[in-house]
């Protein structure tokens, strides 16, 4: 991976700093033993001291919910809503109503590294210890990112102990899954930890002919060089074969197509995705107050395959007869490489009677992204057509949605569509200081300076053309926390964020970044500090997020004359209330509760970027429900001397706009799940999960009226697990 001079200087400085830290490592009776790395950019704060509404979904909550993938985990936070997932090929979500680029995966972090970039397929949770929902813009620390908040996945790392589990699952639609997690300590003093985590899954679907195959392997190693110095290495490998599935189509006259009908072609084959990633981190504690954390990451992803997809508008036959879908065809070959280097000093000191806890850091990253697409698309249907039988079925790739017959047509020969390469490069410096003004009052101030450059090369042009853009941004944050007592705090905060936008306007000028301003006020409780017989948390937050420079269609005369271009002129606002709680009682009853009211709407009028439809002031943001609720309950007990537990959950998602600029809405839905688990012998358990108990017909997200993802019917899972 080539690095410029700036990256080289930064890498040299980080290596020098790390080397200096290692050389000063000493072993004394007073030193703190390091058993794991802290999370980058977050510091070492009690949750009640953080002036933001963060939500940690730990392994216990994930287990109660039976979550196996990132989508199911994020359903536990009602602040997060599902967005268009590109035919099932990536994770896409909004936080507090706002998502990033709807045509790209949502950005999420893994141990602070940006791992949502690229095309590695949807994320499995087998190697994940916890999912952190960090609400509000985080550019003051992390740099450019998604406007509504940040998702950070905390991975399973060696704990210098021996143990693990193996688990096998069978379920509806011939689902078979096996996973394992094993770790041990090595060396005379067991100062080397090794952990091996992996899974394999093969499953059919309620969608006819759809079958997925997934394989993941995530080994890691950690070395304690001394009691206060530790380094870890993690490998990520995931390979997935996933048919490209745009879901169902809808028309006002005929409703939704059957949820079991696959609109693609099995003969197209699956889309093959692959990711290979490496993460290295080292932490050195100089003393009880100061530590250094340095790391680097490198990640390659790829996505390749064919897909037959449902047509839009005047090319769609389903709108005429309610029986026949017309489709078009695309071949995709996507590749990405991501490199990041970072270093951070955390510590505390006093000035007079004030205690300061500071984070000071720098990072460099480079993202190389290559997109190659070939496309075959039929022409528009003649306006006077009333009989679909008069059309050439091979030209329109027609499919009967009630009685689909696949493989009727040869794969068409596609023509050029997209061929571009993009390079994003950024260097950032940040500082944060949290000051104890009194025993109860703390204030937080901080900011980040980013210098970034973007090269976008159009390889379809003759000759190829490259647009180079650069910008600098300062992102501030301020906040205050008041500790009412040991178990309750109230806070207020303000932060700004930004996200780079790809491309240029009709005159070749780069787009200004998408800008976010966010303010919130709330309170948090640590129930264990208040009640002796209860453990858990409760938080309530009121928020407002304003966003500007949203890309819309450029309808200025000079732009229209040049073609179809975008323009950063859109504005939107989201405001609402969030209530999150996780409570565990002495009688083995555990409750998880998350509710959000989110009023997310456009605050000016513009034509939509993708289709040119008019967005009116007050129109709601796509796939953003006003009301969302998730409740999970578990109760443990003894059954004939055997440990057992039962539980379940309810997910409610309100009505959502399903197509920006159009009067197309996805109906609200409520699904119920239940599970029971028993340990018939020591270290062995059996668990039965039933999802969508009442067989609700529902739709989770959409891009437009012909690309709607249906939810799964009632399904069963039986899991056997052995712990060792």
């Amino acid at each position: 991976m080539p690095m410029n001079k700036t990256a080289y200087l930064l890498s040299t400085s980080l290596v020098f700093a790390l080397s200096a830290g290692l050389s000063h490592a000493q072993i004394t009776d007073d030193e703190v033993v390091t058993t794991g790395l802290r999370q980058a950019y977050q510091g070492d704060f009690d949750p009640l001291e953080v002036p933001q509404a963060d939500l940690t979904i730990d392994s216990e909550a994930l287990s109660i919910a039976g979550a196996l993938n990132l989508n199911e985990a994020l359903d536990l936070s009602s602040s997060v809503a599902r967005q268009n997932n590109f035919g099932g090929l990536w994770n896409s979500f909004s936080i507090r109503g706002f998502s990033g680029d709807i045509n790209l995966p949502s950005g999420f972090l893994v141990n602070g590294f940006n791992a949502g970039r690229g095309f590695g397929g949807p994320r499995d949770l087998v190697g994940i210890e916890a999912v952190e929902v960090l609400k509000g813009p985080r550019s003051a620390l992390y740099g450019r990112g998604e406007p509504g908040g940040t998702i950070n996945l905390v991975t399973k790392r060696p704990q210098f102990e021996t143990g693990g589990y193996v688990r096998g699952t069978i379920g509806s639609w011939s689902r078979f899954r096996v996973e394992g997690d094993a770790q041990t300590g090595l060396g005379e003093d067991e100062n080397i930890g090794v952990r091996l985590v992996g899974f394999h899954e093969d499953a059919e679907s309620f969608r006819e002919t759809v079958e997925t195959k997934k394989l993941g392997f995530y080994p890691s190693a950690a070395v304690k060089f001394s009691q206060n110095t530790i380094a870890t290495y993690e490998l990520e490998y995931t390979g997935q074969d996933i048919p490209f599935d745009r879901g169902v189509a809808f028309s006002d006259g005929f409703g939704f197509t059957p949820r079991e009908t696959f609109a693609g072609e099995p003969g197209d084959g699956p889309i093959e995705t692959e990711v290979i990633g490496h993460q290295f981190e080292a932490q050195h504690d100089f003393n009880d107050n100061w530590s250094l954390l340095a790391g680097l990451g490198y990640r390659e992803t790829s996505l390749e395959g064919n897909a037959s997809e449902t047509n839009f508008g005047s090319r769609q036959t389903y709108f005429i007869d309610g029986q026949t879908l017309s489709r078009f065809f695309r071949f995709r070959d996507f590749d990405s490489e991501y490199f990041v280097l970072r270093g951070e000093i955390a510590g505390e000191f006093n000035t007079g009677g004030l205690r300061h806890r500071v984070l000071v850091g720098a990072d460099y990253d480079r993202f190389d992204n290559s997109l190659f697409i070939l496309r075959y698309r039929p022409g528009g249907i003649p306006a006077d057509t009333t009989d679909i039988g008069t059309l050439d079925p091979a030209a329109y790739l027609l499919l009967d949605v009630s009685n689909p017959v696949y493989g009727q047509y040869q794969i068409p020969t596609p023509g050029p569509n997209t061929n571009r390469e993009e390079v994003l490069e950024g260097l950032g410096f940040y500082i944060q200081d949290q000051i104890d003004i009194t025993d109860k009052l703390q204030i937080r101030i901080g900011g980040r300076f980013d210098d970034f450059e973007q090269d976008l090369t159009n390889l379809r042009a003759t000759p190829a053309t490259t647009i180079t853009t650069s910008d600098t941004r300062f992102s501030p944050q301020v906040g205050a926390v008041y500790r009412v007592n040991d178990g309750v705090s109230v806070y207020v905060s303000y932060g700004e964020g930004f996200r780079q936008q790809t491309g240029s306007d009709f005159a070749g000028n780069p787009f200004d970044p998408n800008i976010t301003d966010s303010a919130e006020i709330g309170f948090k409780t640590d129930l264990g500090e208040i009640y002796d017989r209860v453990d858990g948390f409760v938080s309530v937050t009121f928020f407002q997020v304003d966003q500007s420079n949203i890309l819309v269609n450029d309808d200025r005369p000079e732009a229209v004359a040049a073609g179809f271009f975008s323009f950063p002129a859109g504005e939107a606002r989201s405001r609402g209330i969030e209530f999150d709680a996780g409570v565990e009682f002495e009688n083995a009853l555990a409750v998880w509760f998350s509710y959000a009211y989110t009023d997310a709407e456009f605050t000016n009028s513009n034509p939509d970027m993708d289709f040119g439809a008019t967005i009116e002031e007050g129109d709601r943001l796509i796939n953003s429900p006003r009301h969302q609720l998730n409740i999970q309950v578990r109760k443990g007990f003894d059954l004939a001397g055997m440990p057992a537990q039962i539980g379940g959950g309810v997910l409610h998602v309100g009505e959502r706009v399903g197509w920006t600029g159009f009067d197309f809405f996805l109906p609200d839905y409520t699904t119920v799940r239940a599970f029971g688990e028993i340990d018939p012998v020591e270290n062995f358990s059996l668990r039965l999960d039933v999802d969508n108990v009442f067989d609700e017909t529902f739709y989770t997200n959409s891009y437009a009226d012909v690309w709607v993802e249906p939810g799964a019917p009632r399904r069963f899972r039986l899991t056997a697990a052995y712990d060792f």
Side-chain angles (χ1 to χ4, degrees):
M1 168 65 63
M3 286 192 291
N4 62 17
K5 182 179 180 181
T6 302
Y8 173 77
L9 292 175
L10 179 58
S11 64
T12 303
S13 65
L14 293 182
V15 172
F16 175 78
L18 178 59
S19 300
L22 292 174
S23 66
H24 285 84
Q26 299 176 354
I27 301 176
T28 70
D29 294 337
D30 297 328
E31 288 175 338
V32 177
V33 176
T34 303
T35 58
L37 300 178
R38 60 180 172 83
Q39 288 293 300
Y41 305 104
Q42 297 188 34
D44 185 17
F45 295 96
D46 184 280
L48 296 186
E49 296 179 309
V50 178
Q52 287 168 310
D54 298 342
L55 177 65
T56 298
I57 307 170
D58 61 15
S59 57
E60 179 72 11
L62 294 173
S63 175
I64 293 175
L68 296 178
N69 57 60
L70 183 55
N71 283 339
E72 294 170 345
L74 295 179
D75 282 343
L76 294 172
S77 172
S78 292
S79 305
V80 182
R82 297 195 189 192
Q83 294 288 329
N84 167 54
N85 63 7
F86 197 64
L89 290 175
W90 58 47
N91 296 109
S92 185
F93 49 83
S94 62
I95 304 176
R96 291 180 172 174
F98 288 113
S99 60
D101 189 334
I102 196 170
N103 295 302
L104 291 173
S106 294
F108 62 86
L109 309 175
V110 176
N111 302 320
F113 291 94
N114 195 328
R117 292 181 174 181
F119 312 104
R123 181 78 193 208
D124 195 272
L125 292 182
V126 67
I128 303 303
E129 190 71 41
V131 178
E132 297 177 335
V133 182
L134 311 176
K135 304 173 189 177
R138 299 300 173 111
S139 292
L141 288 180
Y142 295 100
R144 58 187 179 273
E146 304 296 359
T150 300
I151 304 299
N152 182 50
L153 309 184
V154 181
T155 60
K156 295 177 178 179
R157 290 171 164 175
Q159 300 298 311
F160 302 98
E161 59 186 30
T162 298
Y165 72 84
V166 290
R167 185 176 298 154
T169 299
I170 57 174
S172 301
W173 309 300
S174 303
R175 185 176 193 177
F176 172 77
R177 177 184 173 95
V178 60
E179 63 181 74
D181 177 4
Q183 62 172 321
T184 189
L186 304 174
E188 184 176 342
D189 299 321
E190 291 196 344
N191 62 331
I192 300 174
V194 177
R195 191 164 190 170
L196 304 176
V197 181
F199 82 104
H200 169 72
E201 182 174 310
D202 191 335
E204 296 178 6
S205 167
F206 70 97
R207 306 276 291 161
E208 294 175 353
T209 78
V210 171
E211 181 179 2
T212 61
K213 294 182 179 180
K214 304 177 181 181
L215 175 67
F217 183 50
Y218 315 103
S220 58
V223 180
K224 292 180 183 176
F225 293 100
S226 70
Q227 287 185 303
N228 57 354
T229 303
I230 187 173
T232 67
Y233 166 77
E234 298 178 64
L235 171 68
E236 173 193 4
Y237 171 79
T238 309
Q240 304 186 63
D241 292 348
I242 305 173
F244 195 94
D245 185 0
R246 285 294 194 184
V248 301
F250 174 85
S251 78
D252 290 330
F254 304 105
F256 289 100
T257 58
R259 62 178 174 178
E260 66 273 8
T261 298
F262 175 51
E265 279 288 336
D268 291 340
I271 301 290
E272 297 179 354
T273 69
E274 186 177 67
V275 55
I276 299 177
H278 310 269
Q279 288 188 12
F280 171 80
E281 286 191 283
Q283 179 176 319
H284 174 69
D285 297 329
F286 298 105
N287 51 46
D288 289 345
N289 294 330
W290 289 92
S291 67
L292 167 71
L293 180 66
L296 61 87
Y298 178 72
R299 194 169 188 260
E300 294 180 295
T301 74
S302 64
L303 180 156
E304 183 177 2
N306 299 321
S308 298
E309 307 175 48
T310 312
N311 261 319
F312 285 89
S314 64
R315 294 179 172 88
Q316 184 47 255
T317 53
Y318 182 70
F319 299 142
I320 298 174
D321 70 352
Q323 184 70 23
T324 313
L325 277 181
S326 67
R327 299 168 295 173
F328 67 101
F329 176 86
R330 281 194 277 202
F331 166 79
R332 295 176 175 87
D333 186 1
F334 296 173
D335 292 285
S336 76
E337 296 182 10
Y338 178 67
F339 173 80
V340 63
L341 187 66
R342 69 188 187 202
E344 178 181 280
I345 295 286
E348 65 175 79
F349 62 91
N350 295 321
T351 58
L354 302 179
R355 177 193 182 199
H356 299 258
R357 282 175 288 174
V358 298
L359 292 175
V360 181
D363 52 42
Y364 163 83
D365 69 293
R366 176 183 169 120
F367 180 61
D368 292 69
N369 180 21
S370 173
L371 303 178
F372 178 75
I373 304 174
L374 300 175
R375 183 181 68 181
Y376 164 80
R377 185 172 65 171
I381 301 170
D384 58 352
T385 299
T386 58
D387 182 4
I388 301 304
T390 63
L391 301 177
D392 181 358
Y396 287 90
L397 303 178
L398 298 182
L399 182 74
D400 186 331
V401 297
S402 297
N403 185 28
V405 178
Y406 300 105
Q408 298 182 76
Y409 322 111
Q410 291 185 342
I411 293 178
T413 301
N417 181 240
T418 300
N419 189 4
R420 79 177 190 218
E421 293 179 353
E422 181 181 23
V423 178
L424 300 173
E425 200 167 15
L427 177 65
F429 301 91
Y430 59 93
I431 184 170
Q432 175 184 283
D433 186 7
Q434 186 143 332
I435 308 168
D436 290 11
I437 303 299
T438 69
D439 290 342
K440 293 182 177 293
L441 178 63
Q442 302 175 24
I443 63 172
R444 174 179 288 190
I445 56 176
R448 177 183 171 108
F449 175 81
D450 279 282
D451 185 350
F452 52 88
E453 184 175 283
Q454 180 181 60
D455 293 331
L456 184 63
T457 301
N458 181 5
L459 297 174
R460 280 194 63 190
T462 306
T465 59
T466 299
I467 298 172
T468 299
T469 64
S470 61
D471 201 354
T472 58
R473 289 283 161 178
F474 177 74
S475 305
Q477 65 162 332
V478 293
V481 180
Y482 183 77
R483 294 290 293 263
V484 178
N485 53 46
D486 290 342
V488 179
S489 69
V490 295
Y491 72 91
V492 61
S493 68
Y494 170 82
E496 296 181 8
F498 74 96
R499 181 176 58 85
Q500 285 176 269
Q501 305 195 97
T502 298
S504 61
D505 64 15
F506 75 97
N509 299 313
F511 296 133
D512 290 334
N514 185 255
I515 302 298
T516 304
D517 300 303
S518 176
E520 63 184 78
I521 183 172
F523 74 85
K524 306 178 181 183
T525 65
D526 182 346
L527 296 177
E529 296 290 341
I530 302 175
Y531 304 105
D532 293 337
R533 298 183 178 182
V534 176
D535 191 18
F537 69 93
V538 174
S539 67
V540 178
T541 307
F542 299 87
F543 67 87
Q544 177 166 315
V545 184
D546 291 278
Q547 191 180 52
S548 59
N549 292 345
I550 299 172
L551 291 181
V552 297
N553 180 250
D554 195 343
D555 59 355
R556 295 175 296 178
E558 58 271 33
V560 173
F564 195 85
F565 287 89
S566 298
F567 181 56
E571 298 176 357
R573 180 187 61 226
S574 172
R575 53 190 175 191
I577 182 172
E578 300 161 334
F579 186 104
D580 294 314
V583 185
E584 187 161 2
F585 300 89
E586 274 190 342
N587 62 355
L589 174 66
V591 179
W592 178 275
F593 181 92
S594 181
Y595 167 77
Y597 170 78
T598 306
D599 185 14
E601 62 182 24
F602 290 96
T603 54
N604 65 354
S605 298
N606 285 288
D608 168 59
M609 177 183 69
D610 292 322
F611 299 96
T614 300
I615 301 171
E616 300 287 352
E617 180 180 352
D619 283 356
R620 292 159 59 183
L621 300 187
I622 189 170
N623 291 312
S624 178
R626 282 201 173 100
H627 300 277
Q628 187 160 315
L629 170 71
N630 193 304
I631 302 174
Q632 304 290 325
V633 179
R634 182 209 62 197
K635 180 68 171 72
F637 59 96
D638 283 336
L639 180 64
M642 297 178 291
Q645 57 179 327
I646 58 173
V650 176
L651 172 65
H652 173 77
V653 179
E655 181 186 71
R656 294 133 290 148
V657 168
W659 192 1
T660 300
F662 292 84
D663 292 329
F664 171 59
F665 293 85
L666 299 181
D668 64 341
Y669 66 90
T670 301
T671 59
V672 177
R673 55 173 302 275
F675 78 91
E677 183 175 324
I678 189 170
D679 299 352
V681 296
E682 186 177 2
N683 298 330
F684 179 76
S685 65
L686 288 172
R687 172 171 171 147
L688 176 66
D689 286 87
V690 184
D691 299 308
N692 194 4
V693 172
F694 300 108
D695 202 17
E696 174 89 352
T697 298
F698 64 103
Y699 306 93
T700 60
N701 64 85
S702 65
Y703 181 86
D705 59 353
V706 295
W707 292 352
V708 182
E709 182 178 10
R714 183 190 300 115
R715 55 180 173 163
F716 302 86
R717 284 181 288 157
L718 179 63
T719 301
Y722 176 74
D723 298 324
F724 57 87

